[in-house]
PDB file of all heavy atoms in Angstrom:
ATOM      1  N   GLY A 159    -105.729 -23.473 219.087  1.00 96.00           N
ATOM      2  CA  GLY A 159    -107.108 -23.923 219.137  1.00 96.00           C
ATOM      3  C   GLY A 159    -108.062 -23.029 219.896  1.00 96.00           C
ATOM      4  O   GLY A 159    -109.192 -23.433 220.203  1.00 96.00           O
ATOM      5  N   GLU A 160    -107.646 -21.811 220.209  1.00 96.00           N
ATOM      6  CA  GLU A 160    -108.532 -20.898 220.939  1.00 96.00           C
ATOM      7  C   GLU A 160    -109.748 -20.498 220.102  1.00 96.00           C
ATOM      8  O   GLU A 160    -110.764 -20.056 220.639  1.00 96.00           O
ATOM      9  CB  GLU A 160    -107.759 -19.649 221.375  1.00 96.00           C
ATOM     10  CG  GLU A 160    -106.628 -19.914 222.360  1.00 96.00           C
ATOM     11  CD  GLU A 160    -107.131 -20.312 223.734  1.00 96.00           C
ATOM     12  OE1 GLU A 160    -108.341 -20.172 224.000  1.00 96.00           O
ATOM     13  OE2 GLU A 160    -106.314 -20.777 224.554  1.00 96.00           O
ATOM     14  N   GLU A 161    -109.643 -20.641 218.775  1.00 95.00           N
ATOM     15  CA  GLU A 161    -110.750 -20.296 217.877  1.00 95.00           C
ATOM     16  C   GLU A 161    -111.245 -21.537 217.135  1.00 95.00           C
ATOM     17  O   GLU A 161    -111.570 -21.479 215.957  1.00 95.00           O
ATOM     18  CB  GLU A 161    -110.306 -19.226 216.875  1.00 95.00           C
ATOM     19  CG  GLU A 161    -109.784 -17.944 217.487  1.00 95.00           C
ATOM     20  CD  GLU A 161    -109.167 -17.030 216.446  1.00 95.00           C
ATOM     21  OE1 GLU A 161    -109.931 -16.426 215.659  1.00 95.00           O
ATOM     22  OE2 GLU A 161    -107.923 -16.921 216.423  1.00 95.00           O
ATOM     23  N   ASP A 162    -111.276 -22.663 217.843  1.00 95.00           N
ATOM     24  CA  ASP A 162    -111.686 -23.931 217.253  1.00 95.00           C
ATOM     25  C   ASP A 162    -110.753 -24.240 216.066  1.00 95.00           C
ATOM     26  O   ASP A 162    -109.540 -24.179 216.217  1.00 95.00           O
ATOM     27  CB  ASP A 162    -113.162 -23.884 216.862  1.00 95.00           C
ATOM     28  CG  ASP A 162    -113.747 -25.270 216.659  1.00 95.00           C
ATOM     29  OD1 ASP A 162    -113.495 -26.152 217.507  1.00 95.00           O
ATOM     30  OD2 ASP A 162    -114.437 -25.482 215.650  1.00 95.00           O
ATOM     31  N   LEU A 163    -111.298 -24.522 214.885  1.00 95.00           N
ATOM     32  CA  LEU A 163    -110.445 -24.807 213.726  1.00 95.00           C
ATOM     33  C   LEU A 163    -110.364 -23.617 212.765  1.00 95.00           C
ATOM     34  O   LEU A 163    -109.944 -23.764 211.609  1.00 95.00           O
ATOM     35  CB  LEU A 163    -110.954 -26.040 212.977  1.00 95.00           C
ATOM     36  CG  LEU A 163    -110.626 -27.387 213.631  1.00 95.00           C
ATOM     37  CD1 LEU A 163    -111.424 -28.510 212.988  1.00 95.00           C
ATOM     38  CD2 LEU A 163    -109.128 -27.689 213.538  1.00 95.00           C
ATOM     39  N   GLU A 164    -110.746 -22.429 213.243  1.00 95.00           N
ATOM     40  CA  GLU A 164    -110.682 -21.220 212.410  1.00 95.00           C
ATOM     41  C   GLU A 164    -109.275 -21.026 211.861  1.00 95.00           C
ATOM     42  O   GLU A 164    -108.276 -21.253 212.560  1.00 95.00           O
ATOM     43  CB  GLU A 164    -111.080 -20.001 213.252  1.00 95.00           C
ATOM     44  CG  GLU A 164    -111.267 -18.723 212.454  1.00 95.00           C
ATOM     45  CD  GLU A 164    -112.536 -18.724 211.633  1.00 95.00           C
ATOM     46  OE1 GLU A 164    -113.465 -19.483 211.948  1.00 95.00           O
ATOM     47  OE2 GLU A 164    -112.583 -17.939 210.656  1.00 95.00           O
ATOM     48  N   HIS A 165    -109.169 -20.628 210.587  1.00 96.00           N
ATOM     49  CA  HIS A 165    -107.920 -20.338 209.864  1.00 96.00           C
ATOM     50  C   HIS A 165    -107.196 -21.596 209.373  1.00 96.00           C
ATOM     51  O   HIS A 165    -106.233 -21.480 208.617  1.00 96.00           O
ATOM     52  CB  HIS A 165    -106.954 -19.489 210.689  1.00 96.00           C
ATOM     53  CG  HIS A 165    -107.534 -18.209 211.172  1.00 96.00           C
ATOM     54  ND1 HIS A 165    -107.941 -17.217 210.314  1.00 96.00           N
ATOM     55  CD2 HIS A 165    -107.807 -17.762 212.421  1.00 96.00           C
ATOM     56  CE1 HIS A 165    -108.423 -16.203 211.011  1.00 96.00           C
ATOM     57  NE2 HIS A 165    -108.364 -16.510 212.297  1.00 96.00           N
ATOM     58  N   TRP A 166    -107.625 -22.776 209.808  1.00 97.00           N
ATOM     59  CA  TRP A 166    -106.994 -24.009 209.327  1.00 97.00           C
ATOM     60  C   TRP A 166    -107.790 -24.555 208.154  1.00 97.00           C
ATOM     61  O   TRP A 166    -109.009 -24.704 208.233  1.00 97.00           O
ATOM     62  CB  TRP A 166    -106.905 -25.048 210.441  1.00 97.00           C
ATOM     63  CG  TRP A 166    -105.952 -24.665 211.527  1.00 97.00           C
ATOM     64  CD1 TRP A 166    -106.241 -24.046 212.707  1.00 97.00           C
ATOM     65  CD2 TRP A 166    -104.536 -24.854 211.522  1.00 97.00           C
ATOM     66  NE1 TRP A 166    -105.098 -23.833 213.445  1.00 97.00           N
ATOM     67  CE2 TRP A 166    -104.025 -24.321 212.744  1.00 97.00           C
ATOM     68  CE3 TRP A 166    -103.632 -25.415 210.615  1.00 97.00           C
ATOM     69  CZ2 TRP A 166    -102.668 -24.337 213.065  1.00 97.00           C
ATOM     70  CZ3 TRP A 166    -102.288 -25.436 210.938  1.00 97.00           C
ATOM     71  CH2 TRP A 166    -101.812 -24.906 212.141  1.00 97.00           C
ATOM     72  N   GLY A 167    -107.108 -24.829 207.050  1.00 90.00           N
ATOM     73  CA  GLY A 167    -107.756 -25.331 205.855  1.00 90.00           C
ATOM     74  C   GLY A 167    -107.288 -26.729 205.507  1.00 90.00           C
ATOM     75  O   GLY A 167    -106.463 -27.321 206.207  1.00 90.00           O
ATOM     76  N   GLU A 168    -107.824 -27.239 204.413  1.00 89.00           N
ATOM     77  CA  GLU A 168    -107.470 -28.584 203.931  1.00 89.00           C
ATOM     78  C   GLU A 168    -107.506 -29.580 205.084  1.00 89.00           C
ATOM     79  O   GLU A 168    -106.610 -30.399 205.269  1.00 89.00           O
ATOM     80  CB  GLU A 168    -106.096 -28.567 203.258  1.00 89.00           C
ATOM     81  CG  GLU A 168    -106.014 -27.601 202.088  1.00 89.00           C
ATOM     82  CD  GLU A 168    -104.620 -27.517 201.496  1.00 89.00           C
ATOM     83  OE1 GLU A 168    -104.144 -28.553 201.005  1.00 89.00           O
ATOM     84  OE2 GLU A 168    -104.016 -26.422 201.539  1.00 89.00           O
ATOM     85  N   VAL A 169    -108.572 -29.478 205.879  1.00 89.00           N
ATOM     86  CA  VAL A 169    -108.684 -30.300 207.082  1.00 89.00           C
ATOM     87  C   VAL A 169    -109.112 -31.719 206.712  1.00 89.00           C
ATOM     88  O   VAL A 169    -110.102 -31.923 206.007  1.00 89.00           O
ATOM     89  CB  VAL A 169    -109.696 -29.683 208.069  1.00 89.00           C
ATOM     90  CG1 VAL A 169    -109.850 -30.566 209.302  1.00 89.00           C
ATOM     91  CG2 VAL A 169    -109.238 -28.281 208.478  1.00 89.00           C
ATOM     92  N   GLU A 170    -108.357 -32.700 207.185  1.00 93.00           N
ATOM     93  CA  GLU A 170    -108.693 -34.113 207.009  1.00 93.00           C
ATOM     94  C   GLU A 170    -109.109 -34.655 208.372  1.00 93.00           C
ATOM     95  O   GLU A 170    -108.312 -34.695 209.307  1.00 93.00           O
ATOM     96  CB  GLU A 170    -107.479 -34.873 206.466  1.00 93.00           C
ATOM     97  CG  GLU A 170    -107.744 -36.340 206.208  1.00 93.00           C
ATOM     98  CD  GLU A 170    -106.517 -37.063 205.646  1.00 93.00           C
ATOM     99  OE1 GLU A 170    -105.634 -36.401 205.076  1.00 93.00           O
ATOM    100  OE2 GLU A 170    -106.459 -38.303 205.793  1.00 93.00           O
ATOM    101  N   ASN A 171    -110.364 -35.045 208.481  1.00 94.00           N
ATOM    102  CA  ASN A 171    -110.918 -35.484 209.759  1.00 94.00           C
ATOM    103  C   ASN A 171    -111.084 -37.000 209.777  1.00 94.00           C
ATOM    104  O   ASN A 171    -112.191 -37.524 209.685  1.00 94.00           O
ATOM    105  CB  ASN A 171    -112.269 -34.811 210.019  1.00 94.00           C
ATOM    106  CG  ASN A 171    -112.130 -33.397 210.553  1.00 94.00           C
ATOM    107  OD1 ASN A 171    -111.409 -33.160 211.502  1.00 94.00           O
ATOM    108  ND2 ASN A 171    -112.816 -32.454 209.914  1.00 94.00           N
ATOM    109  N   GLY A 172    -109.970 -37.714 209.885  1.00 95.00           N
ATOM    110  CA  GLY A 172    -110.052 -39.167 209.971  1.00 95.00           C
ATOM    111  C   GLY A 172    -110.627 -39.613 211.306  1.00 95.00           C
ATOM    112  O   GLY A 172    -110.541 -38.903 212.311  1.00 95.00           O
ATOM    113  N   GLY A 173    -111.221 -40.815 211.332  1.00 95.00           N
ATOM    114  CA  GLY A 173    -111.806 -41.311 212.578  1.00 95.00           C
ATOM    115  C   GLY A 173    -112.916 -40.396 213.046  1.00 95.00           C
ATOM    116  O   GLY A 173    -113.835 -40.071 212.300  1.00 95.00           O
ATOM    117  N   ASP A 174    -112.814 -39.927 214.275  1.00 96.00           N
ATOM    118  CA  ASP A 174    -113.791 -38.986 214.806  1.00 96.00           C
ATOM    119  C   ASP A 174    -113.372 -37.541 214.576  1.00 96.00           C
ATOM    120  O   ASP A 174    -114.004 -36.615 215.098  1.00 96.00           O
ATOM    121  CB  ASP A 174    -114.000 -39.237 216.308  1.00 96.00           C
ATOM    122  CG  ASP A 174    -114.802 -40.507 216.557  1.00 96.00           C
ATOM    123  OD1 ASP A 174    -115.741 -40.772 215.782  1.00 96.00           O
ATOM    124  OD2 ASP A 174    -114.470 -41.250 217.506  1.00 96.00           O
TER     125      ASP A 174
END
Side-chain angles (χ1 to χ4, degrees):
E160 296 290 348
E161 302 171 73
D162 198 45
L163 283 168
E164 189 73 22
H165 304 296
W166 292 96
E168 302 176 62
V169 178
E170 182 179 338
N171 280 309
D174 287 322

